[in-house]
């Protein structure tokens, strides 16, 4: 159980790996905090009730103060990133001690262990700005959502941004195939099916196949594996913590795992061919997806006729128009030649993706590479 006193917390710059500071004379509490640090992949500095290293209070990115030591530290300079750790939920005096200490939060063990591991791991990973996460979903089967998802990822990686492509559609055939990397070394979804707690972002990134300067999490060619919502939550959260951009290829059927993916997406693109039947099918998809994803926009796949333009289609769907995606001649031949979607920056698909990222990243105020 945790309760917030002040909402702000310090943020580490990406790549910074600093040691949290533990201050307590309670040996049992120290053992618990050391165990939680180990689970988070962090090696803490320990002060047994007194700070022995000059500047450790000011420099530590996160300070875990045992309730037994709170009274001795009230003369310390106020700063963010201080957590007061207690055990007794019925001890109301801990809130007065937290205010006197200037703590951000009070965490009660063992209830808050998962939350506390996440906070410590944020420090260990050096979490900065989270990735801009874009989901792509087809308005109907064969709409070209997987092609657009790959092209968006390839375009982002070509511009030098850290990019991860997540295949959340178990029936899509595998995005690594579209990228020409079905034989590439690295883990696929079945390896993460049992994930429940926190997945380290750096470990996830390093374990995945690297194709065209991006990392891709796809499916293998074995039997179908059910990915529970907890695994989707853990994997996507880890991907987002790495920063840059994350592109997610979404299924049209919203099960628990897909709903979890939708909940972590910043912006969704619904790919709709410029056909009346496709618009009718896409309307049903938009109604379902829109219950979870607030920012959903239409991408109309041309060519559009005079009777049914891109703006009319977006209006029929009740969605903002993200743009029209014109046909790209030779796309199939390029794939057969080993070139992934979006590999040509001057092609219609490459230009669409470059313009999309320019607008999306400007809206976000920029994304760290």
């Amino acid at each position: 159980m945790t309760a917030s006193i002040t909402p702000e917390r310090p943020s580490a710059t990406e790549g910074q790996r600093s040691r949290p500071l533990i201050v307590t004379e309670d040996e049992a509490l120290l053992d618990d905090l050391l165990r939680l640090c180990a689970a988070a992949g962090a090696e803490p500095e320990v002060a047994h009730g007194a700070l022995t290293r000059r500047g450790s209070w000011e420099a530590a990115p996160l300070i875990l103060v045992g309730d037994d030591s709170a009274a001795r530290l009230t003369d310390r300079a106020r700063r963010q990133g201080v957590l007061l750790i207690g055990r007794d939920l019925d001890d109301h005096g801990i809130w007065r001690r937290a205010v006197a200490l200037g703590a951000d939060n009070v965490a009660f063990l063992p209830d808050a262990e998962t939350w506390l591991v996440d906070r410590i791991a944020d420090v260990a990973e050096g979490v900065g700005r989270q990735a801009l996460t874009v989901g792509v979903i087809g308005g109907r089967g064969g709409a070209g959502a997987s092609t657009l998802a790959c092209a968006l990822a390839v375009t982002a990686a070509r511009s030098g941004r850290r990019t991860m492509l997540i295949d959340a559609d178990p029936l899509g055939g595998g995005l690594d195939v579209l990228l020409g990397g079905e034989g590439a070394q690295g883990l696929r979804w079945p390896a993460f099916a049992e994930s429940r707690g926190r997945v380290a972002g750096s470990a996830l990134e390093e374990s995945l196949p690297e194709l065209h300067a991006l990392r891709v999490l796809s499916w293998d060619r074995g039997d179908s594996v059910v990915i529970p919502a907890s695994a989707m939550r853990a994997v996507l959260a880890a991907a987002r913590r790495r920063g840059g951009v994350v592109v997610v290829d979404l299924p049209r059927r919203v099960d628990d795992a897909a709903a979890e993916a939708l909940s972590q997406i910043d912006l969704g693109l619904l790919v709709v061919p410029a056909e009346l039947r496709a618009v009718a099918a896409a309307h049903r998809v938009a109604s379902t997806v829109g219950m979870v994803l607030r920012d959903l926009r239409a991408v109309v796949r041309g060519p559009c006729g005079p009777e049914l333009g891109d703006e009319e289609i977006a209006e029929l769907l009740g969605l903002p128009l993200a743009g029209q995606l014109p046909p790209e001649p030779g796309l199939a031949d390029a794939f057969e030649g080993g070139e992934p979607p979006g590999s040509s920056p001057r092609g219609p698909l490459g230009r669409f993706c470059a313009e999309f990222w320019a607008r999306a990243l400007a809206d976000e105020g920029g994304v760290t590479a």
Side-chain angles (χ1 to χ4, degrees):
M1 177 179 178
T2 64
S4 176
I5 295 174
T6 57
E8 295 182 331
R9 64 173 184 167
S11 59
T13 57
E14 184 168 357
Q16 179 185 15
R17 294 178 178 268
S18 302
R19 300 173 65 190
L21 172 65
I22 298 175
V23 186
T24 183
E25 291 183 351
D26 184 330
E27 293 296 332
L29 180 59
L30 177 59
D31 287 344
D32 284 339
L33 293 177
L34 289 174
R35 172 175 54 83
L36 297 180
C37 285
E43 183 181 348
E45 176 184 351
V46 177
H48 296 279
L51 301 178
T52 56
R53 187 173 67 85
R54 184 177 181 181
S56 57
W57 179 268
E58 293 76 15
L62 183 68
I63 303 177
L64 310 177
V65 177
D67 190 31
D68 64 286
S69 299
R72 293 190 294 275
L73 298 170
T74 54
D75 60 340
R76 290 285 167 177
R78 295 300 179 96
R79 50 153 294 167
Q80 297 173 3
V82 177
L83 307 180
L84 183 58
I85 314 299
R87 295 189 188 275
D88 186 359
L89 290 169
D90 296 323
D91 179 10
H92 302 296
I94 195 171
W95 302 105
R96 291 192 299 272
R97 295 189 290 276
V99 171
L101 181 64
D104 292 347
N105 291 277
V106 173
F108 293 97
L109 299 184
D111 301 53
E113 284 194 356
T114 299
W115 178 86
L116 193 53
V117 168
D118 283 347
R119 287 295 302 271
I120 298 168
D122 282 347
V123 170
E125 288 191 49
V127 174
R129 182 193 293 271
Q130 288 204 336
L132 173 64
T133 306
V134 176
V136 186
I137 186 169
R140 64 158 170 80
S146 295
T147 298
L148 178 58
C150 285
L152 285 169
V154 167
T155 302
R158 183 169 54 235
S159 68
R161 292 187 175 88
R162 170 178 276 131
T163 305
M164 198 172 296
L165 177 61
I166 307 292
D167 188 353
D169 185 359
L171 302 180
L175 294 185
D176 54 351
V177 176
L178 266 179
L179 294 170
E182 59 268 32
Q185 295 296 313
L187 299 183
R188 267 67 173 182
W189 262 119
F192 298 96
E194 301 302 321
S195 299
R196 293 294 184 272
R198 183 185 178 104
V199 175
S202 56
L204 172 68
E205 184 177 38
E206 292 166 4
S207 70
L208 298 179
E210 183 174 6
L211 302 168
H212 308 284
L214 63 96
R215 299 284 181 165
V216 58
L217 175 55
S218 188
W219 304 86
D220 62 9
R221 259 44 71 185
D223 294 336
S224 178
V225 176
V226 175
I227 301 298
S230 57
M232 182 66 72
R233 181 185 310 118
V235 167
L236 265 181
R240 298 186 72 201
R241 287 196 302 271
R242 294 300 289 161
V245 297
V246 174
V247 180
V248 185
D249 185 26
L250 294 161
R252 287 182 296 125
R253 179 178 176 273
V254 180
D255 57 12
D256 290 344
E260 178 58 43
L262 286 167
S263 72
Q264 295 202 44
I265 285 170
D266 299 308
L267 187 158
L269 299 177
L270 180 66
V271 184
V272 188
E275 306 162 2
L276 276 175
R277 288 186 63 191
V279 174
H283 193 278
R284 291 192 291 272
V285 175
S287 298
T288 302
V289 170
M291 291 189 292
V292 183
L293 179 59
R294 292 184 179 181
D295 191 352
L296 181 63
R297 309 179 193 183
V299 173
V300 177
R301 203 188 79 196
C304 295
E307 298 84 10
L308 193 64
D310 53 5
E311 294 182 357
E312 287 80 9
I313 291 173
E315 186 175 352
L316 287 170
L317 295 171
L319 298 176
L321 178 65
Q324 181 185 148
L325 187 59
E328 179 153 353
L331 188 60
D333 292 338
F335 172 70
E336 291 296 329
E339 296 182 10
S343 58
S344 172
R346 289 177 289 188
L349 190 54
R351 291 200 305 271
F352 176 91
C353 293
E355 292 169 5
F356 167 80
W357 286 124
R359 295 193 305 270
L361 295 172
D363 291 343
E364 287 289 307
V367 172
T368 54

